């Protein structure tokens, strides 16, 4: 049986780059006083040898762990999972390691245990990416000796926050439907323990009020297509448009109203939120609010590292979601939806 190939050491990198191992260490730990040309040679040698530095050895040299603890909840929810991905990519690019605790729910004991485990591993900062506010509240309430940041557009006592302006997105979705002539605009809300869901609903209410319209029809969803389907099965005929708090619920809603014989957008305009990859391939393609999850993940990492390194400036403000108009919205036709549907049926050819 052949021996496994020997893992490269810092001394191998030094020999290949033609420098001392102390210089390699300075490059690995982003320390000053290394000429650009020398740094480039060392980095080329690291790539060529596929050298992986030891975190323990690095910590002994710098007295720092270059590690971050990340608490993530939300399972397969598109927004949180996408932000987790890009946060990790940004950390890897910055040569920081991330210890991740994935939690199914907001159990207080599990959240505290995760934080305590991170601190035992000498993390230099903690991030919380969660679709539910319970975990954020638990961690913010702990007396921590390291910087803390959370995925949330609104301010939260006890921690820095970075996110997308969900309230502005709710207003933009509703304004789009109002501009198309819709006056009976329902909202399919997300879970009430989600700050994002509440902010999107608040934006819907305020935009309607600004236009002199009543916020009358609200459905309670849970981010899943199933909850969107259930809402669509009971949606009142006089409603001509729906702002769904995420794209997956919009998908279930389209399914339900189509089964009822209604057409999207001729009988019902629908706007979602998130711009998941499937949104442009729905039938019809979905009008939605796009969130830049890559930017949010990177902003979280940059802000947290800044605070770890002594930057006391305020976190950057929330980014703005972008309205993406597709075929699921159209101008409101004259008359009620019921009337339009009856007229459509009356014009249809009789069955043989």
């Amino acid at each position: 049986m052949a021996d496994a190939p020997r893992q490269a050491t810092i001394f191998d990198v030094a020999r290949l780059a033609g420098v001392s191992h102390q210089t390699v260490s300075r490059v690995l730990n982003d320390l000053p006083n290394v000429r650009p040309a020398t740094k480039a040679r060392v980095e080329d040698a690291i790539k060529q040898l596929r050298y992986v530095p030891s975190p323990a050895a690095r910590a002994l040299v710098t007295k720092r762990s270059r590690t971050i603890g990340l608490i993530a909840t939300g399972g397969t929810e598109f927004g949180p999972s996408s932000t987790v991905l890009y946060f990790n990519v940004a950390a890897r690019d910055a040569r920081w390691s991330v210890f991740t605790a994935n939690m199914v729910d907001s159990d207080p004991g599990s959240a505290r245990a995760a934080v305590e485990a991170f601190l035992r591993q000498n993390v230099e900062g903690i991030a919380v990416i969660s679709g539910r506010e319970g975990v954020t509240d638990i961690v913010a309430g702990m007396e921590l000796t390291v910087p803390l940041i959370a995925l949330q557009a609104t301010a939260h006592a006890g921690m820095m926050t970075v996110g997308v302006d969900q309230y502005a997105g709710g207003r933009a979705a509703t304004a789009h439907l109002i501009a198309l002539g819709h006056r009976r605009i329902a909202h399919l809300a997300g879970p009430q323990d989600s700050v994002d869901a509440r902010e999107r609903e608040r934006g819907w209410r305020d935009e309607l009020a600004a236009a002199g319209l009543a916020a009358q029809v609200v459905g309670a969803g849970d981010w899943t297509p199933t909850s969107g389907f259930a809402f669509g099965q009971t949606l009142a005929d006089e409603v001509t448009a729906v702002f769904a708090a995420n794209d997956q619920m919009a998908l279930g809603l389209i399914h339900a109203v189509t089964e009822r014989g209604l057409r999207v957008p001729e009988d019902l305009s629908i706007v979602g939120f998130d711009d998941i990859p499937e949104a442009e391939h729905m039938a019809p393609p979905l009008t939605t609010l796009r969130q830049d999850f890559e930017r949010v993940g990177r902003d979280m990492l940059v802000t947290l590292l800044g605070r770890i390194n002594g930057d006391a400036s305020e976190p950057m403000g929330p980014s703005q979601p972008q309205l993406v108009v597709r075929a699921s919205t159209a101008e409101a036709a004259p008359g009620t939806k019921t009337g339009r549907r009856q007229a459509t049926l009356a014009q249809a050819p009789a069955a043989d």
Side-chain angles (χ1 to χ4, degrees):
M1 181 177 178
D3 293 335
R6 183 177 69 87
Q7 185 174 6
T9 69
I10 193 172
F11 299 100
D12 296 324
V13 174
R15 278 192 293 271
L16 183 58
V19 299
S20 68
H21 72 276
Q22 292 92 339
T23 298
V24 176
S25 178
R26 296 186 74 83
V27 172
L28 289 171
N29 293 292
D30 294 326
L31 297 178
N33 301 325
V34 179
R35 289 196 299 267
T38 301
K39 182 177 180 182
R41 288 207 314 275
V42 171
E43 291 176 339
D44 287 342
I46 290 171
K47 291 178 182 178
Q48 185 174 335
L49 295 173
R50 298 182 180 178
Y51 171 67
V52 179
S54 164
R58 173 184 287 166
L60 287 173
V61 173
T62 64
K63 309 302 182 185
R64 298 181 59 177
S65 67
R66 292 183 69 87
T67 59
I68 295 167
L70 170 61
I71 296 178
T73 72
T76 59
E77 290 176 15
F78 183 74
S81 63
S82 297
T83 307
V84 167
L85 170 64
Y86 290 116
F87 182 89
N88 276 279
V89 170
R92 182 190 64 203
D93 291 346
R95 294 182 180 174
W96 280 69
S97 299
V98 179
F99 296 134
T100 303
N102 289 298
M103 299 175 56
V104 176
D105 53 34
S106 55
D107 171 58
S110 298
R112 293 191 184 95
V115 171
E116 290 167 0
F118 289 153
L119 296 178
R120 287 195 297 270
Q121 293 169 312
N122 295 318
V123 299
E124 296 191 51
I126 294 176
V128 180
I129 297 178
S130 174
R132 302 288 191 271
E133 65 180 340
V135 170
T136 304
D137 290 339
I138 292 165
V139 178
M142 300 177 70
E143 294 185 1
L144 301 178
T145 57
V146 298
L148 177 63
I149 193 167
L151 173 65
Q152 187 170 300
T154 55
H156 194 295
M159 65 169 60
M160 299 175 291
T161 59
V162 170
V164 178
D165 192 336
Q166 309 295 328
Y167 172 77
R171 293 202 69 153
T174 310
H176 171 65
L177 294 170
I178 293 172
L180 291 173
H182 295 281
R183 295 297 177 264
R184 294 281 293 180
I185 303 171
H187 179 53
L188 175 53
Q192 282 303 296
D193 65 346
S194 165
V195 175
D196 288 352
R198 294 202 304 268
E199 286 296 287
R200 292 171 197 176
E201 180 178 341
R202 187 169 71 91
W204 166 75
R205 290 182 181 278
D206 285 357
E207 191 64 29
L208 287 178
L213 301 174
Q216 295 179 330
V217 181
V218 183
D222 61 5
W223 299 136
T224 66
T226 301
S227 64
F229 184 85
F231 178 70
Q233 287 181 309
T234 60
L235 186 65
D237 282 337
E238 62 268 21
V239 170
T240 67
V242 177
F243 164 39
N246 80 337
D247 291 346
Q248 291 179 323
M249 292 193 298
L251 172 62
L253 173 61
I254 291 172
H255 181 192
V257 298
T258 301
E259 280 199 351
R260 290 174 56 185
L262 302 178
R263 301 164 299 165
V264 178
E266 293 86 353
D267 298 320
L268 184 72
S269 285
I270 297 176
V271 178
F273 209 109
D274 284 340
D275 195 26
I276 62 175
E278 297 84 0
E280 65 178 321
H281 303 293
M282 292 182 186
L286 183 66
T287 295
T288 185
L289 274 295
R290 176 180 296 158
Q291 301 193 73
D292 190 344
F293 296 111
E294 179 174 2
R295 174 185 169 181
V296 172
R298 291 187 178 276
D299 284 355
M300 285 191 71
L301 190 280
V302 169
T303 302
L304 182 58
L305 292 187
R307 189 58 56 90
I308 289 171
N309 291 321
D311 181 2
S313 60
E314 289 297 315
M316 55 197 76
S319 61
Q320 298 297 309
Q322 176 188 356
L323 178 67
V324 180
V325 179
R326 298 193 179 104
S328 68
T329 53
E331 291 186 2
T336 65
K337 183 172 67 174
T338 302
R340 294 199 305 275
R341 182 183 176 193
Q342 290 173 342
T344 300
L345 294 176
Q347 294 170 5
D352 294 335

